[in-house]
Amino acid sequence: AQSVTQLDSQVPVFEEAPVELRCNYSSSVSVYLFWYVQYPNQGLQLLLKYLSGSTLVKGINGFEAEFNKSQTSFHLRKPSVHISDTAEYFCAVSPPGSSASKIIFGSGTRLSIRP
Amino acid sequence: NAGVTQTPKFRVLKTGQSMTLLCAQDMNHEYMYWYRQDPGMGLRLIHYSVGEGTTAKGEVPDGYNVSRLKKQNFLLGLESAAPSQTSVYFCASKIIETNQPQHFGDGTRLSIL
């Protein structure tokens, strides 16, 4: 069975500082990996996804993530954050060829940006 | 292009009352899902559907029922609301291919007094 662990429930950073949100997954098979962002009082939006190929994936709003198979990680990074990045971020995995229900979400990381 | 629309956005119920949450998608997606989101617990799958007329249980199905009579709509029902069902409910949909992401609605905030 797959599982997703987001190691930090909250990450406070200063505006224009870099940030890394950590995600580790557990799976005996190859998986597809996703990061979603949830702004206050809104639903989840796709930030980026890793399906195959290059391990560095670029997403919207200047975010990128690196897939590391040996460490089973998919950490999200941004070199310089803005106040508008204040949101909750969710990592998710989906095994290839799985049934529809097998999309596993992490518990989320709340990113707060200090001016 | 509306995407995934949830109705209502807010609702307050008394314990024991019943209600139905509606999810509508205009993207012709086969798969639809209902989640609940509680602080510190991420998203937990309640029920899902892989097509019109089919439904299946997710991680936390107790106390909820669903129906998918039309491809574009997925209804979530609470027959007898309990305070433990106070939560934010999200609907999502996606196409069949597993490498594609889900599309989410903006949520329904439900309080049970």
Side-chain angles (χ1 to χ4, degrees):
Chain A
Q2 289 75 33
S3 66
V4 179
T5 302
Q6 291 184 244
L7 298 166
D8 305 297
S9 59
Q10 296 187 53
V11 174
V13 295
F14 288 104
E15 193 172 16
E16 298 184 6
V19 69
E20 178 180 84
L21 306 183
R22 296 180 292 170
C23 173
N24 286 88
Y25 67 93
S26 172
S27 177
S28 59
V29 299
S30 296
V31 294
Y32 298 129
L33 295 155
F34 304 88
W35 274 100
Y36 287 85
V37 58
Q38 183 182 29
Y39 298 108
N41 300 314
Q42 293 186 25
L44 279 69
Q45 304 173 33
L46 181 68
L47 204 54
L48 50 79
K49 62 183 178 182
Y50 173 77
L51 305 180
S52 64
S54 173
T55 58
L56 185 63
V57 180
K58 294 189 183 298
I60 62 172
N61 300 338
F63 283 93
E64 62 182 30
E66 186 160 18
F67 170 63
N68 188 319
K69 187 174 182 179
S70 63
Q71 297 186 3
T72 59
S73 67
F74 190 53
H75 300 333
L76 181 69
R77 302 185 182 102
K78 187 170 183 177
S80 176
V81 296
H82 302 285
I83 292 287
S84 59
D85 293 323
T86 297
E88 190 155 19
Y89 293 79
F90 292 92
C91 183
V93 301
S94 175
S98 68
S99 62
S101 65
K102 293 185 179 179
I103 300 166
I104 310 300
F105 286 88
S107 56
T109 297
R110 190 170 298 277
L111 178 62
S112 58
I113 311 299
R114 301 170 176 174
Chain B
N1 191 0
V4 179
T5 303
Q6 292 184 231
T7 309
K9 297 188 183 304
F10 304 94
R11 186 71 184 269
V12 178
L13 291 178
K14 294 181 179 179
T15 298
Q17 286 184 318
S18 64
M19 78 161 295
T20 300
L21 280 63
L22 171 63
C23 176
Q25 53 96 2
D26 62 0
M27 297 172 284
N28 201 35
H29 286 173
E30 288 292 333
Y31 294 170
M32 296 188 74
Y33 308 77
W34 275 108
Y35 293 91
R36 59 178 290 172
Q37 183 180 30
D38 302 290
M41 303 188 74
L43 292 170
R44 292 184 292 170
L45 182 65
I46 304 172
H47 287 280
Y48 66 99
S49 168
V50 300
E52 182 179 317
T54 70
T55 63
K57 294 180 179 179
E59 181 185 355
V60 289
D62 294 343
Y64 305 96
N65 58 75
V66 288
S67 65
R68 185 129 180 242
L69 299 179
K70 295 182 179 181
K71 185 177 183 179
Q72 64 268 34
N73 296 335
F74 195 29
L75 279 62
L76 178 70
L78 285 72
E79 292 183 345
S80 179
S84 60
Q85 294 177 304
T86 293
S87 187
V88 181
Y89 292 86
F90 287 98
C91 177
S93 70
K94 70 182 294 291
I95 60 175
I96 292 175
E97 285 75 10
T98 54
N99 63 1
Q100 296 303 308
Q102 295 174 314
H103 297 256
F104 284 83
D106 285 338
T108 295
R109 283 150 186 81
L110 184 61
S111 293
I112 315 296
L113 305 178

